[in-house]
Amino acid sequence: DIWSLGATVYVMLAAAYPLQLPPDTPEAELARATRAAPLTFAQPEWWRDGEQSAAARGFVTACMQGEPDARPTAAQALTHPWLAFDGAIRIDTSPS
């Protein structure tokens, strides 16, 4: 799922979890938090500076939208400027 991709990338880049919740948080509360909690990028300096950081924040923010319909599809995520190589990535999204 795309939200999980965004959360994983966030953890890899920031070395911190995007949501600060206790380990014993009930599943219903976790689901509510993923839709309602604001996403912040307050950890390392590189989140705030530079073009690459802006692209990384944009990718994570897009993937971690609270509403599933607002998130990119996998094919759309792969064309994001942070991942795309000169915008020339081609993906066959037709059913096999």
Side-chain angles (χ1 to χ4, degrees):
D1 134 291
I2 298 298
W3 190 93
S4 297
L5 171 64
T8 300
V9 171
Y10 184 103
V11 170
M12 291 171 59
L13 297 175
Y17 293 112
L19 302 174
Q20 302 302 317
L21 300 171
D24 59 346
T25 301
E27 190 172 329
E29 176 63 17
L30 179 60
R32 187 203 62 75
T34 62
R35 288 189 295 280
L39 187 60
T40 61
F41 298 96
Q43 276 74 25
E45 286 296 318
W46 65 264
W47 275 117
R48 294 187 290 274
D49 300 322
E51 183 178 320
Q52 190 65 4
S53 297
R57 282 193 312 272
F59 178 78
V60 170
T61 300
C63 291
M64 294 185 68
Q65 290 295 311
E67 292 301 318
D69 290 342
R71 298 175 200 146
T73 65
Q76 290 168 334
L78 286 172
T79 63
H80 189 278
W82 189 61
L83 295 180
F85 178 73
D86 294 331
I89 291 179
R90 306 281 187 263
I91 311 166
D92 181 5
T93 57
S94 60
S96 355

